[in-house]
């Protein structure tokens, strides 16, 4: 029976099964996983380690003579935390907050020493609390006081307003996991358009069921989010399908590597920039810019709008999700058609 000798060990020989496992493809995949790991750490820590308000849209209601002075005083705050603009009356300020055009407003009382701060914790409890702190310090410096009115309060069962974010994350995870399982079980690239269409149909069915399940769990079951189940169901189905179709498209073009690219887009880039743990105005500029264009950010914004703002200001987010879904379907089908065409072109060569 052959045995390993000391000289073999010194030469660094390996069993054949180890040599077969360490292929160039496996090496590249391992390096890809390592890169995703480091990017995950860099993205989450980079986006969330030092949240600071930057240019938060903020209204000022004051008499014409005092409005300009109040706006100028807010603009001079160190670090530019607020982007103040005059608003014509309290009713208009409330309307703009409900439309999610501004995140808060200060109503100055020229006849007294107490002003009113309007916030909306449903759009992000951390941001509402931050605005309270900024305005309270400013009012104290001017020997005035402020009372806070929450015009769109977060649910008592929605700690820090995070339920919308976690709901959307669950839908996104369902989307790329389902698409990944379809690839692993039957091949990353569908052989022809018919099989690609079957995958998309399966993805659509999973999205419908998953969207309803998420809406029921966070709504009637746990009471974490108000708002209609039907609206959240539709959002969940669209979000799940958008992520799933995009993942199928990436797999159709890049093969198994497409799963890693989907994780890069949705998890590494999308989740930290979604405005979940910290609303968008508290994120660094880069993350503020990309968040609304990615499914987690678009879904989180729309979920909060449905839950706390009567479904207002959802058009842009729904268009973003629809664009991801449509692009996913088109690219998946085109990639499958091109794959089939290449296969048919190779057949005569194989026969001869």
């Amino acid at each position: 029976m052959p045995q390993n000798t000391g000289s073999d060990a010194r030469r660094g020989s390996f069993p054949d099964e180890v040599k077969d496992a360490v292929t160039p493809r496996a090496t590249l995949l391992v390096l890809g996983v390592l890169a995703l790991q480091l990017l995950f750490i860099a993205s989450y820590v980079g986006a969330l380690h030092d949240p600071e308000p930057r240019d938060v849209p903020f209204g000022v209601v004051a008499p014409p003579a005092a409005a300009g002075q109040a706006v100028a005083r807010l603009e001079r705050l160190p670090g530019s935390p607020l982007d103040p603009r005059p608003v014509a009356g309290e009713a208009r300020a409330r309307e703009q907050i409900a439309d999610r055009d501004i995140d808060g407003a200060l109503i100055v009382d020229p006849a007294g020493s107490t002003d009113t701060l309007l916030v909306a914790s449903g759009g992000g409890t951390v941001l509402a609390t931050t605005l309270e702190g900024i305005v309270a310090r400013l009012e104290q410096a001017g020997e005035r006081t402020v009372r806070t009115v929450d015009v769109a309060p977060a649910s008592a069962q929605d700690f820090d307003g995070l339920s919308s974010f976690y709901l959307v994350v669950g839908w996104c995870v369902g989307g790329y996991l389902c698409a990944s399982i379809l690839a692993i079980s039957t091949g990353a690239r569908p052989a022809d358009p018919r099989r690609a269409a079957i995958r998309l149909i399966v993805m659509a069915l999973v999205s419908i069921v998953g969207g309803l399940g998420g809406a029921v769990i966070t709504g009637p079951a746990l009471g974490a989010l108000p708002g209609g189940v039907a609206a959240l169901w539709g959002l969940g189905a669209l979000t799940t399908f958008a992520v799933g179709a995009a993942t199928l498209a990436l797999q159709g073009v890049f093969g198994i590597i497409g799963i890693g690219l989907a994780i890069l887009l949705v998890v590494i880039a999308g989740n930290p920039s979604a405005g979940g743990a910290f609303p968008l105005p508290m994120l660094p500029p880069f993350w503020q810019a990309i968040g609304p264009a990615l499914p987690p950010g678009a879904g989180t914004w729309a979920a909060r709008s449905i839950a706390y703002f009567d479904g207002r200001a959802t058009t842009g987010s729904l268009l973003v999700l629809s664009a991801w879904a449509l692009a996913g379907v088109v690219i998946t089908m085109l990639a499958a058609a091109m794959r089939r065409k290449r296969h048919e072109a190779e057949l005569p060569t194989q026969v001869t």
Side-chain angles (χ1 to χ4, degrees):
M1 177 180 296
Q3 297 180 350
N4 289 334
T5 64
S7 58
D8 290 337
R10 286 191 296 271
R11 287 197 300 269
S13 61
F14 295 96
D16 289 341
E17 57 269 22
V18 174
K19 293 179 180 179
D20 293 339
V22 186
T23 62
R25 183 172 182 269
T27 301
L28 289 175
L29 290 175
V30 169
L31 291 175
V33 170
L34 178 61
L36 288 177
Q37 179 191 53
L38 297 179
L39 286 171
F40 183 96
I41 296 170
S43 65
Y44 279 73
V45 176
L48 307 177
H49 78 287
D50 187 23
E52 292 288 344
R54 296 174 179 85
D55 296 322
V56 179
F58 190 78
V60 177
V61 178
Q69 295 178 357
V71 169
R73 184 173 55 168
L74 293 173
E75 287 178 335
R76 289 195 298 267
L77 290 175
S80 186
L82 303 180
D83 178 17
R85 72 282 308 268
V87 179
E90 180 178 347
R92 180 58 179 156
R94 288 175 176 267
E95 183 180 352
Q96 288 192 11
I97 292 174
D99 290 336
R100 307 196 73 181
D101 293 329
I102 58 177
D103 292 303
L106 178 64
I107 303 171
V108 179
D109 180 9
S113 60
T114 299
D115 300 326
T116 301
L117 172 65
L118 304 181
V119 297
S121 61
T125 303
V126 175
L127 179 58
T129 303
T130 300
L131 291 178
E132 289 184 49
I134 292 173
V135 173
R137 290 190 295 271
L138 185 66
E139 294 285 278
Q140 185 178 14
E143 297 183 348
R144 298 179 66 83
T145 59
V146 62
R147 69 183 186 96
T148 301
V149 177
D150 197 340
V151 299
S155 167
Q157 285 73 45
D158 183 11
F159 178 74
D160 273 357
L162 291 173
S163 297
S164 301
F165 172 60
Y166 291 136
L167 173 62
V168 172
V169 167
W171 283 331
C172 291
V173 168
Y176 69 73
L177 280 184
C178 179
S180 300
I181 289 171
L182 290 172
I184 293 171
S185 61
T186 58
R189 296 185 176 96
D192 54 57
R194 183 182 68 83
R195 295 183 182 180
I198 291 174
R199 292 188 184 187
L200 289 168
I201 292 171
V202 171
M203 192 69 252
L205 294 174
V206 170
S207 300
I208 292 171
V209 176
L212 176 60
V216 169
I217 290 171
T218 56
L222 298 179
L225 286 179
V229 170
L232 287 175
W233 180 10
L235 174 64
L238 178 58
T239 302
T240 305
F241 184 76
V243 173
T247 304
L248 290 174
L250 290 170
Q251 291 168 177
V253 175
F254 299 103
I256 199 69
I257 297 175
I259 297 176
L261 295 176
I263 293 174
L264 176 64
L265 282 173
V266 177
V267 179
I268 294 175
N271 286 353
S273 63
F278 301 107
L280 289 175
M282 300 191 70
L283 297 179
F286 172 75
W287 302 101
Q288 284 189 40
I290 68 172
L294 297 174
T300 299
W301 177 277
R304 283 179 171 158
S305 292
I306 290 170
Y308 297 115
F309 299 92
D310 297 324
R312 300 185 187 184
T314 57
T315 301
S317 297
L318 295 178
L319 287 175
V320 168
L321 292 170
S322 299
W324 279 93
L326 179 61
V329 170
V330 171
I331 295 174
T332 297
M333 296 303 294
L334 285 177
M338 293 177 64
R339 181 174 175 82
R340 180 178 181 178
K341 186 176 180 180
R342 287 196 301 268
H343 178 69
E344 292 175 345
E346 293 171 357
L347 286 179
T349 304
Q350 294 175 357
V351 172
T352 57

